[in-house]
Structures are given as C-alpha cells and as structure tokens.
C-alpha cells in the first residue's frame, strides 16, 4: 500500500462486534482486519474476472 486514505466508516453494531472478534482471533487490529478482508475479496474478484 503506497498511499493511505483515511475514511469514516459506519457499521451495524453486530458487524462491528463480529469483525472485532475476528481481528482478535487473528491477532490483528480492527483496521488491519478490515483491510485484509477487503484485499482478499478484491483479489478473488480479480481472479474471477480473469477466468473464462
């Protein structure tokens, strides 16, 4: 990640709690967990776009 952008993100409380638990389980910060999950999804979408 060359450049970072700061955003304000509103999440439903239950999604926030779930993401927090997932981050703790993976020993990541909440921010890192969100970035990780978005990158995984982006890579999967790119792979799907490349396959016939």
């Amino acid at each position: 990640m060359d450049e970072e952008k700061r955003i304000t993100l509103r999440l439903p409380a239950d999604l926030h709690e779930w993401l927090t638990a997932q981050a703790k389980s993976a020993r990541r910060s909440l921010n890192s967990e969100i970035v990780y999950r978005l990158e995984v999804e982006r890579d999967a979408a790119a792979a799907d776009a490349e396959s016939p």
Side-chain angles (χ1 to χ4, degrees), residues 26-43:
R27 304 186 83 145
R28 288 191 273 262
S29 67
L30 178 58
N31 184 78
S32 293
E33 184 69 18
I34 292 169
V35 170
Y36 169 77
R37 288 177 178 275
L38 288 170
E39 287 176 338
V40 167
E41 184 60 29
R42 179 192 60 192
D43 293 346

Side-chain angles (χ1 to χ4, degrees), residues 13-24:
D14 61 335
L15 181 56
H16 180 270
E17 290 172 17
W18 181 79
L19 280 166
T20 300
Q22 295 300 304
K24 185 175 181 179

